[in-house]
Amino acid sequence: MTPARRLGLVKPSVLPGFGVALGFTLTYLSLIVLLPLAALVLRTASMGWAQFWSLVTDERTLAALKVSFGTSLLAACVNAVFGLLVAWVLTRYRFPGQRLFDAFVDLPFALPTAVAGIALTALYSPKGWMGQFLEPLGVKVAYTPLGIIIALTFVGLPFVVRTLQPVLAEFDREQEEVSATLGARRHQTLARVVLPALLPALLTGFALAFARAVGEYGSVIFIAGNIPYVSEIAPLLIAIKLEEFDYAGATAIATAMLAIAFGTLLLLNLVQAYGRRRYGHG
């Protein structure tokens, strides 16, 4: 028996080579993920705390961070609700063209984000197909934070749907039938039996959609209008700083985004782990 197995670090598997696989995994993660992030943090550390704090708390930077994280959070919430509905319909029902609609869910994965941004802008601009009807009603979508939310919802939908579909497919429907035979109404079965079982997967999809939205650039850049203090996202501000050769400012904003995103995802993972222990699904 290997030392790793004696220490309980690895379970018996049909594939040998735990040491090699672990070494490859750590090396790959270090080169692809950890090393670039470490370079960013080290570059930030070299500028000193006072300079970093001054750059991060700049009024324009705070406004851009607020727009990025606020719209990302709202888009992820929208996707959590309607992504659950889409996953439910695609999993529980059979209807003509189901496979085609199921394939449409993956379009935001394959479509270049810039193309999505141009399409959404053409659709929701004041003279667009939908924008021309919304404008007289006082609803302005393009070049406002609302347009950013729509773009981020578009790119984040597949993460929620694809995370929930396998859990819904494997969910034991006998639990719903038992709940009904015990006298529970439909909304009670949904609230006390189905949703708790889906909660860990739903949180996972929410976290993925949120993380995707925070770093989104291509689909937002056209529809946002990029108005400072109103619809300017943090990734765009970073690009502007780089174009102005303000590398310190770009690095500081990127580090702040990294810290906030990491803290948010860590919190969501803790909630997800609690849900998995509590309900034993996902």
Side-chain angles (χ1 to χ4, degrees):
M1 182 179 293
T2 63
R5 184 170 298 180
R6 284 199 300 271
L7 294 173
L9 298 176
V10 59
K11 296 179 180 179
S13 172
V14 294
L15 295 178
F18 167 74
V20 176
L22 179 62
F24 174 80
T25 301
L26 295 179
T27 303
Y28 190 77
L29 280 177
S30 299
L31 291 175
I32 300 300
V33 179
L34 298 180
L35 193 58
L37 297 181
L40 177 66
V41 174
L42 289 175
R43 179 63 184 268
T44 305
S46 65
M47 71 176 63
W49 172 254
Q51 184 184 4
F52 170 75
W53 187 250
S54 174
L55 291 169
V56 170
T57 55
D58 177 73
E59 189 176 356
R60 185 176 177 181
T61 302
L62 290 177
L65 290 172
K66 181 181 177 182
V67 170
S68 281
F69 284 94
T71 54
S72 298
L73 183 63
L74 289 174
C77 290
V78 171
N79 274 327
V81 175
F82 293 98
L84 172 60
L85 182 61
V86 172
W88 183 278
V89 170
L90 292 176
T91 307
R92 290 296 183 92
Y93 301 111
R94 295 291 178 266
F95 53 90
Q98 181 183 7
R99 291 189 176 182
L100 184 63
F101 283 106
D102 191 63
F104 283 156
V105 173
D106 290 330
L107 269 182
F109 280 147
L111 194 68
T113 54
V115 175
I118 293 172
L120 291 173
T121 305
L123 187 63
Y124 289 106
S125 65
K127 294 184 179 179
W129 290 353
M130 295 189 67
Q132 61 179 324
F133 299 110
L134 295 175
E135 188 84 3
L137 300 176
V139 180
K140 189 175 182 181
V141 178
Y143 319 128
T144 67
L146 179 58
I148 300 175
I149 294 173
I150 291 176
L152 298 181
T153 303
F154 174 84
V155 299
L157 177 64
F159 293 96
V160 177
V161 176
R162 294 308 186 211
T163 305
L164 283 170
Q165 275 184 308
V167 182
L168 274 170
E170 295 178 1
F171 184 75
D172 189 0
R173 300 187 67 171
E174 290 184 357
Q175 296 183 39
E176 299 175 41
E177 296 169 0
V178 170
S179 176
T181 56
L182 292 176
R185 297 181 181 276
R186 289 185 178 184
H187 70 276
Q188 291 175 319
T189 300
L190 180 65
R192 298 182 181 180
V193 177
V194 179
L195 288 182
L198 299 179
L199 185 60
L202 186 61
L203 286 172
T204 300
F206 176 86
L208 292 173
F210 174 78
R212 177 71 174 84
V214 167
E216 179 58 23
Y217 181 83
S219 65
V220 177
I221 195 71
F222 297 104
I223 200 171
N226 311 316
I227 305 172
Y229 306 103
V230 177
S231 60
E232 185 179 55
I233 58 174
L236 174 65
L237 187 56
I238 293 174
I240 292 174
K241 296 284 185 183
L242 291 174
E243 291 175 355
E244 295 173 348
F245 302 102
D246 183 6
Y247 298 118
T251 305
I253 298 171
T255 305
M257 287 193 69
L258 175 65
I260 297 173
F262 181 77
T264 305
L265 291 177
L266 180 62
L267 177 62
L268 288 173
N269 283 334
L270 290 176
V271 174
Q272 178 192 352
Y274 169 78
R276 187 181 292 113
R277 289 196 303 271
R278 175 70 174 80
Y279 300 107
H281 294 275

